Amino acid sequence: MATTADFKNGLCIDYNNDLWSIVEFQHVKPGKGPAFVRTKLKNLRTGRVLENTFTAGVKIDLANVERRPYQYLYKETDDMYAFMHSETFEQISIPESLISNPGLLKEGQSVEVMYDVKTDTPLTCELPPFVELEVTYTEPGVKGDTATNSAKRATVETGAEVFVPLFIETGELIKVDTRTNKYAERVR
């Protein structure tokens, strides 16, 4: 058992007989009335996001989940991906719907798979916050076009498209934020 004081982003709770992950939370102390906690919860089975308000100090059941390290191997079919456990070398297949950003998956990349301990089933597959990818194609930048903070499309080695600054050229390594699918910086 935990209380609303234990809330943090990514915490998994058992709420309404389902598993939910806290996406955001905010403690609110109004001038009148009791304090409360405003939250955004994401259902780990369906991916649905729900906004909910908890009274401050209320008891919450923590979900029994486990994060396990895996390595991405290859894409099996249109919607199934093969992964290998980093320590036991056991291989599993995960549907595309459980992967946080499948377009940025590169072969050999490390990921974390969250498991429901009761049923031993995978709930989500999370990429690291940033991945380094090579730009395979982008339009060449035009000289003198740097006065504005504009961006252009670039295709990375996984086939995904990312908006990058005008100075990025084909063949360069860039760091991409997997949570927002946006360019973060150039890798030197």
Side-chain angles (χ1 to χ4, degrees):
M1 283 294 232
T3 66
T4 55
D6 299 320
F7 278 4
K8 61 184 176 193
N9 291 344
L11 182 72
C12 297
I13 62 173
D14 195 354
Y15 178 69
N16 284 349
N17 296 325
D18 219 343
L19 296 176
W20 299 82
S21 175
I22 297 175
V23 178
E24 333 179 326
F25 70 97
Q26 179 184 19
H27 289 278
V28 180
K29 287 184 177 180
K32 246 183 184 178
F36 57 91
V37 180
R38 227 180 250 133
T39 61
K40 260 190 192 172
L41 304 172
K42 181 179 181 183
N43 190 314
L44 292 176
R45 296 189 203 290
T46 64
R48 191 180 75 145
V49 177
L50 167 80
E51 291 190 12
N52 192 37
T53 303
F54 295 96
T55 306
V58 73
K59 299 230 184 273
I60 304 293
D61 290 328
L62 293 178
N64 199 2
V65 295
E66 186 177 275
R67 294 178 188 270
R68 299 178 189 168
Y70 276 84
Q71 181 181 15
Y72 172 59
L73 297 176
Y74 57 91
K75 187 173 183 177
E76 290 180 343
T77 62
D78 286 344
D79 62 341
M80 293 299 283
Y81 292 76
F83 292 88
M84 177 181 67
H85 194 284
S86 300
E87 295 155 4
T88 64
F89 306 111
E90 167 196 355
Q91 290 188 16
I92 61 167
S93 295
I94 296 180
E96 185 174 1
S97 59
L98 298 182
I99 302 171
S100 60
N101 200 339
L104 297 178
L105 264 177
K106 185 166 87 170
E107 290 181 5
Q109 185 172 6
S110 296
V111 296
E112 267 193 348
V113 178
M114 189 184 307
Y115 272 85
D116 182 0
V117 175
K118 290 179 191 172
T119 60
D120 200 40
T121 56
L123 299 170
T124 62
C125 176
E126 298 171 0
L127 277 68
F130 296 95
V131 292
E132 293 180 4
L133 300 169
E134 183 182 346
V135 176
T136 55
Y137 176 76
T138 185
E139 294 289 330
V142 178
K143 189 169 182 143
D145 217 3
T146 57
T148 61
N149 194 9
S150 56
K152 61 182 178 179
R153 287 184 191 270
T155 305
V156 292
E157 61 187 292
T158 60
E161 283 195 349
V162 180
F163 282 99
V164 297
L166 296 173
F167 58 83
I168 298 295
E169 299 292 328
T170 301
E172 289 190 79
L173 276 178
I174 60 171
K175 195 179 273 191
V176 180
D177 188 336
T178 59
R179 298 160 294 195
T180 60
N181 205 29
K182 292 187 178 175
Y183 167 85
E185 65 183 7
R186 186 183 339 190
V187 178
R188 297 181 197 256

Short mmCIF file of all heavy atoms in Angstrom, two decimals, residues 59-107:
data_model
loop_
_atom_site.label_atom_id
_atom_site.label_comp_id
_atom_site.label_asym_id
_atom_site.label_seq_id
_atom_site.Cartn_x
_atom_site.Cartn_y
_atom_site.Cartn_z
N LYS A 59 -5.09 5.94 0.24
CA LYS A 59 -4.25 4.75 0.03
C LYS A 59 -4.46 4.19 -1.38
O LYS A 59 -5.57 4.09 -1.86
CB LYS A 59 -4.57 3.70 1.06
CG LYS A 59 -4.31 4.16 2.49
CD LYS A 59 -3.49 3.14 3.21
CE LYS A 59 -3.28 3.51 4.66
NZ LYS A 59 -2.17 4.36 4.88
N ILE A 60 -3.35 3.81 -2.02
CA ILE A 60 -3.35 3.30 -3.39
C ILE A 60 -2.63 1.95 -3.40
O ILE A 60 -1.59 1.80 -2.76
CB ILE A 60 -2.62 4.28 -4.34
CG1 ILE A 60 -3.23 5.66 -4.28
CG2 ILE A 60 -2.56 3.75 -5.74
CD1 ILE A 60 -4.62 5.75 -4.84
N ASP A 61 -3.17 0.99 -4.15
CA ASP A 61 -2.50 -0.31 -4.30
C ASP A 61 -1.46 -0.20 -5.40
O ASP A 61 -1.76 0.21 -6.51
CB ASP A 61 -3.51 -1.39 -4.69
CG ASP A 61 -4.45 -1.74 -3.56
OD1 ASP A 61 -4.02 -1.66 -2.39
OD2 ASP A 61 -5.61 -2.09 -3.83
N LEU A 62 -0.23 -0.61 -5.09
CA LEU A 62 0.83 -0.62 -6.09
C LEU A 62 0.71 -1.89 -6.93
O LEU A 62 0.41 -2.96 -6.41
CB LEU A 62 2.21 -0.58 -5.42
CG LEU A 62 2.56 0.70 -4.67
CD1 LEU A 62 3.93 0.57 -4.04
CD2 LEU A 62 2.53 1.89 -5.61
N ALA A 63 0.93 -1.76 -8.22
CA ALA A 63 0.87 -2.91 -9.12
C ALA A 63 2.16 -3.71 -9.00
O ALA A 63 3.23 -3.16 -8.78
CB ALA A 63 0.68 -2.43 -10.55
N ASN A 64 2.04 -5.00 -9.16
CA ASN A 64 3.19 -5.88 -9.07
C ASN A 64 3.75 -6.09 -10.48
O ASN A 64 3.36 -7.01 -11.19
CB ASN A 64 2.79 -7.21 -8.43
CG ASN A 64 3.97 -7.96 -7.89
OD1 ASN A 64 5.10 -7.48 -7.96
ND2 ASN A 64 3.72 -9.14 -7.36
N VAL A 65 4.64 -5.17 -10.90
CA VAL A 65 5.24 -5.24 -12.23
C VAL A 65 6.76 -5.34 -12.10
O VAL A 65 7.32 -4.97 -11.08
CB VAL A 65 4.86 -4.02 -13.11
CG1 VAL A 65 3.39 -4.00 -13.40
CG2 VAL A 65 5.31 -2.74 -12.48
N GLU A 66 7.36 -5.84 -13.14
CA GLU A 66 8.81 -6.02 -13.14
C GLU A 66 9.36 -5.55 -14.48
O GLU A 66 8.80 -5.83 -15.52
CB GLU A 66 9.08 -7.52 -12.96
CG GLU A 66 10.50 -7.90 -12.80
CD GLU A 66 10.64 -9.40 -12.56
OE1 GLU A 66 10.52 -9.83 -11.40
OE2 GLU A 66 10.85 -10.13 -13.55
N ARG A 67 10.48 -4.82 -14.44
CA ARG A 67 11.14 -4.36 -15.67
C ARG A 67 12.31 -5.29 -15.95
O ARG A 67 13.14 -5.52 -15.08
CB ARG A 67 11.64 -2.93 -15.51
CG ARG A 67 10.52 -1.93 -15.35
CD ARG A 67 11.09 -0.53 -15.13
NE ARG A 67 10.05 0.41 -14.80
CZ ARG A 67 9.37 1.12 -15.69
NH1 ARG A 67 9.64 0.99 -16.97
NH2 ARG A 67 8.43 1.95 -15.32
N ARG A 68 12.34 -5.82 -17.19
CA ARG A 68 13.39 -6.76 -17.56
C ARG A 68 14.15 -6.23 -18.78
O ARG A 68 13.55 -5.70 -19.70
CB ARG A 68 12.78 -8.12 -17.91
CG ARG A 68 12.03 -8.75 -16.75
CD ARG A 68 11.41 -10.06 -17.14
NE ARG A 68 10.53 -10.55 -16.09
CZ ARG A 68 9.69 -11.54 -16.24
NH1 ARG A 68 9.60 -12.17 -17.40
NH2 ARG A 68 8.92 -11.92 -15.24
N PRO A 69 15.49 -6.39 -18.77
CA PRO A 69 16.29 -5.91 -19.90
C PRO A 69 16.24 -6.87 -21.08
O PRO A 69 16.43 -8.07 -20.93
CB PRO A 69 17.71 -5.83 -19.32
CG PRO A 69 17.73 -6.89 -18.26
CD PRO A 69 16.33 -6.94 -17.70
N TYR A 70 15.96 -6.32 -22.26
CA TYR A 70 15.92 -7.11 -23.49
C TYR A 70 16.72 -6.41 -24.57
O TYR A 70 17.02 -5.22 -24.45
CB TYR A 70 14.47 -7.31 -23.97
CG TYR A 70 13.76 -8.45 -23.29
CD1 TYR A 70 13.14 -8.28 -22.06
CD2 TYR A 70 13.71 -9.71 -23.88
CE1 TYR A 70 12.50 -9.32 -21.43
CE2 TYR A 70 13.06 -10.76 -23.25
CZ TYR A 70 12.45 -10.56 -22.03
OH TYR A 70 11.82 -11.60 -21.42
N GLN A 71 17.03 -7.15 -25.62
CA GLN A 71 17.74 -6.61 -26.77
C GLN A 71 16.88 -6.88 -28.00
O GLN A 71 16.40 -8.01 -28.19
CB GLN A 71 19.11 -7.26 -26.91
CG GLN A 71 19.92 -6.74 -28.05
CD GLN A 71 21.26 -7.45 -28.16
OE1 GLN A 71 21.49 -8.49 -27.57
NE2 GLN A 71 22.16 -6.86 -28.93
N TYR A 72 16.70 -5.85 -28.83
CA TYR A 72 15.91 -6.01 -30.05
C TYR A 72 16.71 -6.80 -31.08
O TYR A 72 17.86 -6.48 -31.36
CB TYR A 72 15.52 -4.64 -30.60
CG TYR A 72 14.87 -4.70 -31.95
CD1 TYR A 72 13.70 -5.42 -32.16
CD2 TYR A 72 15.42 -4.05 -33.04
CE1 TYR A 72 13.10 -5.49 -33.41
CE2 TYR A 72 14.83 -4.10 -34.29
CZ TYR A 72 13.67 -4.83 -34.47
OH TYR A 72 13.08 -4.89 -35.70
N LEU A 73 16.09 -7.85 -31.64
CA LEU A 73 16.77 -8.68 -32.64
C LEU A 73 16.35 -8.33 -34.06
O LEU A 73 17.16 -7.92 -34.87
CB LEU A 73 16.48 -10.16 -32.37
CG LEU A 73 17.00 -10.70 -31.04
CD1 LEU A 73 16.58 -12.15 -30.86
CD2 LEU A 73 18.50 -10.57 -30.96
N TYR A 74 15.06 -8.51 -34.38
CA TYR A 74 14.59 -8.26 -35.74
C TYR A 74 13.08 -8.18 -35.75
O TYR A 74 12.40 -8.55 -34.80
CB TYR A 74 15.06 -9.36 -36.70
CG TYR A 74 14.64 -10.76 -36.29
CD1 TYR A 74 13.43 -11.31 -36.73
CD2 TYR A 74 15.43 -11.53 -35.44
CE1 TYR A 74 13.03 -12.58 -36.34
CE2 TYR A 74 15.04 -12.80 -35.05
CZ TYR A 74 13.83 -13.32 -35.50
OH TYR A 74 13.45 -14.56 -35.11
N LYS A 75 12.55 -7.71 -36.88
CA LYS A 75 11.10 -7.62 -37.08
C LYS A 75 10.64 -8.92 -37.73
O LYS A 75 11.08 -9.26 -38.83
CB LYS A 75 10.77 -6.41 -37.96
CG LYS A 75 9.31 -6.12 -38.08
CD LYS A 75 9.08 -4.81 -38.82
CE LYS A 75 7.61 -4.50 -38.86
NZ LYS A 75 7.35 -3.21 -39.50
N GLU A 76 9.75 -9.66 -37.04
CA GLU A 76 9.31 -10.96 -37.55
C GLU A 76 8.29 -10.81 -38.67
O GLU A 76 8.47 -11.34 -39.75
CB GLU A 76 8.67 -11.78 -36.42
CG GLU A 76 9.66 -12.26 -35.40
CD GLU A 76 9.00 -13.07 -34.29
OE1 GLU A 76 7.76 -12.98 -34.13
OE2 GLU A 76 9.72 -13.77 -33.60
N THR A 77 7.20 -10.11 -38.38
CA THR A 77 6.14 -9.88 -39.35
C THR A 77 5.81 -8.39 -39.33
O THR A 77 6.54 -7.61 -38.72
CB THR A 77 4.88 -10.70 -39.00
OG1 THR A 77 4.39 -10.28 -37.73
CG2 THR A 77 5.16 -12.19 -38.97
N ASP A 78 4.71 -8.01 -39.98
CA ASP A 78 4.34 -6.60 -40.02
C ASP A 78 4.10 -6.01 -38.64
O ASP A 78 4.32 -4.83 -38.42
CB ASP A 78 3.08 -6.41 -40.87
CG ASP A 78 3.39 -6.54 -42.35
OD1 ASP A 78 4.59 -6.47 -42.70
OD2 ASP A 78 2.44 -6.72 -43.13
N ASP A 79 3.62 -6.82 -37.69
CA ASP A 79 3.29 -6.26 -36.38
C ASP A 79 3.92 -7.03 -35.21
O ASP A 79 3.54 -6.81 -34.06
CB ASP A 79 1.77 -6.19 -36.20
CG ASP A 79 1.12 -7.56 -36.25
OD1 ASP A 79 1.76 -8.50 -36.78
OD2 ASP A 79 -0.02 -7.69 -35.76
N MET A 80 4.87 -7.92 -35.46
CA MET A 80 5.54 -8.66 -34.38
C MET A 80 7.05 -8.43 -34.44
O MET A 80 7.65 -8.44 -35.51
CB MET A 80 5.25 -10.16 -34.49
CG MET A 80 3.80 -10.53 -34.24
SD MET A 80 3.20 -10.11 -32.59
CE MET A 80 3.92 -11.40 -31.63
N TYR A 81 7.64 -8.22 -33.25
CA TYR A 81 9.07 -7.95 -33.13
C TYR A 81 9.71 -8.98 -32.20
O TYR A 81 9.12 -9.35 -31.19
CB TYR A 81 9.29 -6.55 -32.55
CG TYR A 81 8.88 -5.44 -33.48
CD1 TYR A 81 7.54 -5.11 -33.67
CD2 TYR A 81 9.83 -4.70 -34.16
CE1 TYR A 81 7.16 -4.08 -34.52
CE2 TYR A 81 9.47 -3.68 -35.02
CZ TYR A 81 8.13 -3.38 -35.19
OH TYR A 81 7.77 -2.36 -36.04
N ALA A 82 10.91 -9.43 -32.53
CA ALA A 82 11.62 -10.43 -31.74
C ALA A 82 12.63 -9.75 -30.82
O ALA A 82 13.38 -8.87 -31.24
CB ALA A 82 12.33 -11.41 -32.65
N PHE A 83 12.63 -10.17 -29.55
CA PHE A 83 13.54 -9.64 -28.54
C PHE A 83 14.20 -10.81 -27.80
O PHE A 83 13.65 -11.89 -27.71
CB PHE A 83 12.78 -8.79 -27.52
CG PHE A 83 12.23 -7.52 -28.08
CD1 PHE A 83 10.98 -7.48 -28.68
CD2 PHE A 83 12.96 -6.35 -28.02
CE1 PHE A 83 10.46 -6.31 -29.20
CE2 PHE A 83 12.46 -5.17 -28.54
CZ PHE A 83 11.21 -5.16 -29.13
N MET A 84 15.41 -10.54 -27.26
CA MET A 84 16.13 -11.55 -26.48
C MET A 84 16.46 -10.97 -25.11
O MET A 84 16.94 -9.83 -25.00
CB MET A 84 17.43 -11.93 -27.20
CG MET A 84 18.28 -12.93 -26.44
SD MET A 84 19.81 -13.33 -27.31
CE MET A 84 20.68 -11.79 -27.23
N HIS A 85 16.20 -11.75 -24.06
CA HIS A 85 16.52 -11.33 -22.69
C HIS A 85 18.03 -11.19 -22.57
O HIS A 85 18.79 -12.08 -23.02
CB HIS A 85 15.99 -12.34 -21.68
CG HIS A 85 15.98 -11.83 -20.28
ND1 HIS A 85 17.13 -11.74 -19.52
CD2 HIS A 85 14.97 -11.38 -19.50
CE1 HIS A 85 16.83 -11.27 -18.32
NE2 HIS A 85 15.51 -11.03 -18.29
N SER A 86 18.50 -10.10 -21.97
CA SER A 86 19.93 -9.80 -21.93
C SER A 86 20.73 -10.75 -21.03
O SER A 86 21.93 -10.89 -21.18
CB SER A 86 20.16 -8.37 -21.47
OG SER A 86 19.54 -7.49 -22.37
N GLU A 87 20.07 -11.40 -20.06
CA GLU A 87 20.79 -12.26 -19.13
C GLU A 87 20.53 -13.75 -19.37
O GLU A 87 21.44 -14.56 -19.28
CB GLU A 87 20.42 -11.89 -17.69
CG GLU A 87 20.87 -10.48 -17.34
CD GLU A 87 20.05 -9.85 -16.23
OE1 GLU A 87 19.16 -10.52 -15.67
OE2 GLU A 87 20.29 -8.67 -15.94
N THR A 88 19.28 -14.12 -19.69
CA THR A 88 18.95 -15.54 -19.86
C THR A 88 18.97 -15.96 -21.33
O THR A 88 18.87 -17.15 -21.60
CB THR A 88 17.54 -15.83 -19.30
OG1 THR A 88 16.57 -15.10 -20.06
CG2 THR A 88 17.46 -15.47 -17.83
N PHE A 89 19.04 -15.02 -22.26
CA PHE A 89 19.05 -15.26 -23.70
C PHE A 89 17.75 -15.90 -24.21
O PHE A 89 17.73 -16.47 -25.29
CB PHE A 89 20.28 -16.08 -24.13
CG PHE A 89 21.56 -15.48 -23.67
CD1 PHE A 89 22.33 -16.10 -22.69
CD2 PHE A 89 22.00 -14.27 -24.18
CE1 PHE A 89 23.51 -15.53 -22.25
CE2 PHE A 89 23.19 -13.70 -23.75
CZ PHE A 89 23.94 -14.32 -22.78
N GLU A 90 16.69 -15.83 -23.43
CA GLU A 90 15.38 -16.33 -23.84
C GLU A 90 14.80 -15.35 -24.87
O GLU A 90 14.89 -14.14 -24.70
CB GLU A 90 14.48 -16.40 -22.61
CG GLU A 90 13.02 -16.58 -22.89
CD GLU A 90 12.15 -16.27 -21.68
OE1 GLU A 90 12.68 -15.99 -20.60
OE2 GLU A 90 10.93 -16.30 -21.87
N GLN A 91 14.19 -15.88 -25.94
CA GLN A 91 13.62 -15.03 -26.98
C GLN A 91 12.11 -14.96 -26.85
O GLN A 91 11.47 -15.97 -26.56
CB GLN A 91 14.00 -15.54 -28.37
CG GLN A 91 15.47 -15.36 -28.67
CD GLN A 91 15.79 -15.68 -30.11
OE1 GLN A 91 14.93 -15.75 -30.95
NE2 GLN A 91 17.08 -15.86 -30.39
N ILE A 92 11.56 -13.75 -27.09
CA ILE A 92 10.11 -13.56 -27.05
C ILE A 92 9.70 -12.71 -28.26
O ILE A 92 10.52 -12.03 -28.87
CB ILE A 92 9.65 -12.86 -25.75
CG1 ILE A 92 10.29 -11.47 -25.62
CG2 ILE A 92 9.91 -13.70 -24.53
CD1 ILE A 92 9.66 -10.60 -24.57
N SER A 93 8.42 -12.77 -28.57
CA SER A 93 7.85 -11.93 -29.62
C SER A 93 6.87 -10.96 -28.97
O SER A 93 6.06 -11.36 -28.14
CB SER A 93 7.11 -12.78 -30.66
OG SER A 93 8.02 -13.60 -31.32
N ILE A 94 6.96 -9.68 -29.36
CA ILE A 94 6.10 -8.65 -28.79
C ILE A 94 5.37 -7.96 -29.93
O ILE A 94 5.99 -7.58 -30.93
CB ILE A 94 6.93 -7.63 -27.97
CG1 ILE A 94 7.55 -8.33 -26.77
CG2 ILE A 94 6.08 -6.46 -27.53
CD1 ILE A 94 8.38 -7.43 -25.89
N PRO A 95 4.04 -7.75 -29.79
CA PRO A 95 3.31 -7.03 -30.84
C PRO A 95 3.69 -5.55 -30.87
O PRO A 95 4.09 -4.97 -29.85
CB PRO A 95 1.84 -7.22 -30.46
CG PRO A 95 1.85 -7.64 -29.04
CD PRO A 95 3.17 -8.26 -28.75
N GLU A 96 3.58 -4.95 -32.03
CA GLU A 96 3.95 -3.55 -32.23
C GLU A 96 3.18 -2.60 -31.32
O GLU A 96 3.68 -1.57 -30.91
CB GLU A 96 3.72 -3.18 -33.69
CG GLU A 96 4.19 -1.79 -34.05
CD GLU A 96 4.09 -1.52 -35.54
OE1 GLU A 96 3.64 -2.39 -36.30
OE2 GLU A 96 4.49 -0.41 -35.94
N SER A 97 1.94 -2.96 -30.95
CA SER A 97 1.10 -2.09 -30.13
C SER A 97 1.67 -1.88 -28.73
O SER A 97 1.36 -0.89 -28.08
CB SER A 97 -0.31 -2.67 -30.02
OG SER A 97 -0.26 -3.97 -29.45
N LEU A 98 2.54 -2.77 -28.25
CA LEU A 98 3.12 -2.63 -26.91
C LEU A 98 4.42 -1.82 -26.91
O LEU A 98 4.92 -1.46 -25.86
CB LEU A 98 3.40 -4.01 -26.30
CG LEU A 98 2.21 -4.92 -26.06
CD1 LEU A 98 2.67 -6.21 -25.40
CD2 LEU A 98 1.16 -4.25 -25.21
N ILE A 99 4.98 -1.53 -28.08
CA ILE A 99 6.26 -0.84 -28.17
C ILE A 99 6.03 0.67 -28.22
O ILE A 99 5.20 1.14 -28.99
CB ILE A 99 7.05 -1.33 -29.40
CG1 ILE A 99 7.24 -2.84 -29.32
CG2 ILE A 99 8.39 -0.62 -29.51
CD1 ILE A 99 7.80 -3.47 -30.57
N SER A 100 6.77 1.41 -27.39
CA SER A 100 6.54 2.85 -27.25
C SER A 100 6.80 3.64 -28.53
O SER A 100 6.07 4.55 -28.85
CB SER A 100 7.36 3.41 -26.09
OG SER A 100 8.73 3.21 -26.32
N ASN A 101 7.84 3.35 -29.29
CA ASN A 101 8.13 4.06 -30.53
C ASN A 101 8.85 3.11 -31.48
O ASN A 101 10.06 3.19 -31.65
CB ASN A 101 8.98 5.30 -30.23
CG ASN A 101 8.90 6.31 -31.33
OD1 ASN A 101 8.56 6.00 -32.46
ND2 ASN A 101 9.24 7.54 -31.01
N PRO A 102 8.09 2.20 -32.13
CA PRO A 102 8.75 1.16 -32.93
C PRO A 102 9.54 1.66 -34.14
O PRO A 102 10.44 0.99 -34.60
CB PRO A 102 7.58 0.27 -33.38
CG PRO A 102 6.38 1.13 -33.29
CD PRO A 102 6.65 2.11 -32.18
N GLY A 103 9.24 2.86 -34.62
CA GLY A 103 9.96 3.39 -35.76
C GLY A 103 11.42 3.70 -35.49
O GLY A 103 12.22 3.82 -36.40
N LEU A 104 11.79 3.82 -34.21
CA LEU A 104 13.17 4.15 -33.85
C LEU A 104 13.96 2.95 -33.34
O LEU A 104 15.06 3.10 -32.84
CB LEU A 104 13.18 5.26 -32.79
CG LEU A 104 12.57 6.59 -33.23
CD1 LEU A 104 12.58 7.59 -32.10
CD2 LEU A 104 13.31 7.16 -34.43
N LEU A 105 13.38 1.74 -33.46
CA LEU A 105 14.08 0.53 -33.02
C LEU A 105 15.17 0.15 -34.01
O LEU A 105 14.92 0.03 -35.20
CB LEU A 105 13.10 -0.64 -32.92
CG LEU A 105 12.51 -0.92 -31.55
CD1 LEU A 105 11.50 -2.05 -31.66
CD2 LEU A 105 13.54 -1.23 -30.52
N LYS A 106 16.38 -0.04 -33.50
CA LYS A 106 17.52 -0.44 -34.32
C LYS A 106 17.99 -1.81 -33.84
O LYS A 106 17.98 -2.07 -32.63
CB LYS A 106 18.63 0.61 -34.15
CG LYS A 106 19.82 0.39 -35.02
CD LYS A 106 20.72 1.62 -35.05
CE LYS A 106 21.71 1.61 -33.92
NZ LYS A 106 22.72 2.65 -34.05
N GLU A 107 18.37 -2.68 -34.74
CA GLU A 107 18.81 -4.02 -34.35
C GLU A 107 19.97 -3.95 -33.36
O GLU A 107 20.91 -3.19 -33.54
CB GLU A 107 19.21 -4.83 -35.58
CG GLU A 107 18.02 -5.21 -36.44
CD GLU A 107 18.40 -6.03 -37.65
OE1 GLU A 107 19.58 -6.40 -37.80
OE2 GLU A 107 17.50 -6.29 -38.45
#
